[in-house]
Amino acid sequence: MLPLLAYAALTAAMDVYAGNRFEKVSTAALAAISFTATMVFFLAVEWRRRGARQLGVGVVSAHRRDLVAINITTAVTWLTTLYALNYLEPAIVNVIGLALGPVITVLAGPLLRRHSTVMTTEVLVSVGICVLLGALVWGSFTGRSGLSDVTAGDALIGLALTVVCAVGSAFNIIYMKRLSDAGCDPGSVLATRFLLMSAVAWVLVALEDNADLSTALVPGLVVAVIGVGLPVYVLQIGIRHTEPITTSLLVSLSPLFAFAMQLADGRLRFSLFTLGGVACVVALVAVGAVVRGRQTPSPEPAPAEPRATQPSGPRETPTPRATNET
């Protein structure tokens, strides 16, 4: 759970920081620099570990379809997130983009991943989150959010982008879990999942008239570290040990971190309405995570050997059993 909580906090920090920087920096330029830097870093790590000839060959050949899918969902999720931050406050973008994930995971999980299980409590939690998200969206339209001067048109565009982001995020988690279940280590996946995102971002830069790369260099590198590289690495580690629905619920804590962090942004005001909605979402997330934790089966201890059957003579030294652990 700790890697997933770290992911939630880092994602919130990225949303707040990027939302503040977009007043001076091109969204496409920031995305191009940050994701290209992240891709080059993980490719270099894999090259050092495996060598140039084996770089991603096994992963690509064995899981080509899932890697194509995760490249698409990564590009959709991140691009819609970054552009949505131009229209809505970070906490609202965060809460819609991430907290809507459990609902989509409930619907898509059994279709995309065999043997996945969804509990009744998790379904009820997801429905409750949907209701709260509706209230927060209504607050954005009526000026009750932290970004009080948002117009109805901007709120509508931001809402559409964050809904698409939520869909991409949920499918992204499922495909990451599929690759993890297939035995792919996080480094191999991270070295190959940003290819499409980087390419699309540079195309968007080429289409812009005033994309200043020099201004976006430092913010892009900051986002590459706190918003892309480190978060997706800890997320991949957390996904290895949890079900997709549990992952979606835990990363939904990110809006709480975002709300606290955005108080340092002078563009945004304190909104009791946003705080109340985010707090209720966090409460539902806690319920879902606790119930799932209690239902996770633990290995049963081996039964003790009855003493009456033990021989009275000298004991033989038991032969160690073979084990599959590495």
Side-chain angles (χ1 to χ4, degrees), residues 88-89 91-92 134-151 155 259 262 268-278:
L88 297 174
E89 66 171 300
I92 297 295
L136 287 170
V137 169
W138 172 79
S140 295
F141 275 94
T142 56
R144 289 174 171 83
S145 66
L147 199 61
S148 58
D149 58 347
V150 62
T151 64
F259 182 85
Q262 75 179 25
L268 305 171
R269 65 174 185 177
F270 175 82
S271 170
L272 186 61
F273 183 84
T274 300
L275 177 60
V278 168

Side-chain angles (χ1 to χ4, degrees), residues 93-106:
V93 172
N94 217 290
V95 77
I96 298 175
L98 292 179
L100 192 57
V103 183
I104 301 169
T105 304
V106 167

Side-chain angles (χ1 to χ4, degrees), residues 93-245:
V93 172
N94 217 290
V95 77
I96 298 175
L98 292 179
L100 192 57
V103 183
I104 301 169
T105 304
V106 167
L107 299 175
L111 299 176
L112 296 179
R113 183 170 169 263
R114 296 179 181 178
H115 310 300
S116 62
T117 58
V118 178
M119 299 168 54
T120 303
T121 303
E122 289 172 330
V123 175
L124 296 177
V125 165
S126 300
V127 172
I129 288 175
C130 258
V131 174
L132 291 170
L133 293 182
L136 287 170
V137 169
W138 172 79
S140 295
F141 275 94
T142 56
R144 289 174 171 83
S145 66
L147 199 61
S148 58
D149 58 347
V150 62
T151 64
D154 286 349
L156 185 61
I157 294 174
L159 173 62
L161 289 171
T162 48
V163 169
V164 175
C165 166
V167 175
S169 178
F171 280 84
N172 206 11
I173 289 173
I174 292 173
Y175 280 111
M176 288 172 71
K177 183 63 176 176
R178 281 168 56 118
L179 289 168
S180 179
D181 290 343
C184 297
D185 63 283
S188 299
V189 176
L190 293 173
T192 53
R193 66 173 290 187
F194 298 116
L195 298 173
L196 179 61
M197 175 66 197
S198 300
V200 171
W202 283 112
V203 170
L204 293 175
V205 170
L207 295 176
E208 287 189 356
D209 296 329
N210 57 345
D212 188 355
L213 293 177
S214 60
T215 305
L217 180 59
V218 174
L221 293 177
V222 172
V223 170
V225 176
I226 69 169
V228 186
L230 188 56
V232 296
Y233 183 75
V234 296
L235 176 62
Q236 187 75 38
I237 294 174
I239 282 176
R240 184 182 293 270
H241 302 287
T242 59
E243 284 293 312
I245 181 63

Side-chain angles (χ1 to χ4, degrees), residues 45-67:
V45 171
E46 283 299 287
W47 176 81
R48 182 183 179 89
R49 188 173 64 148
R50 297 177 180 271
R53 293 185 178 181
Q54 298 297 324
L55 185 61
V57 173
V59 178
V60 172
S61 60
H63 310 287
R64 187 179 297 107
R65 291 184 178 180
D66 284 349
L67 283 173

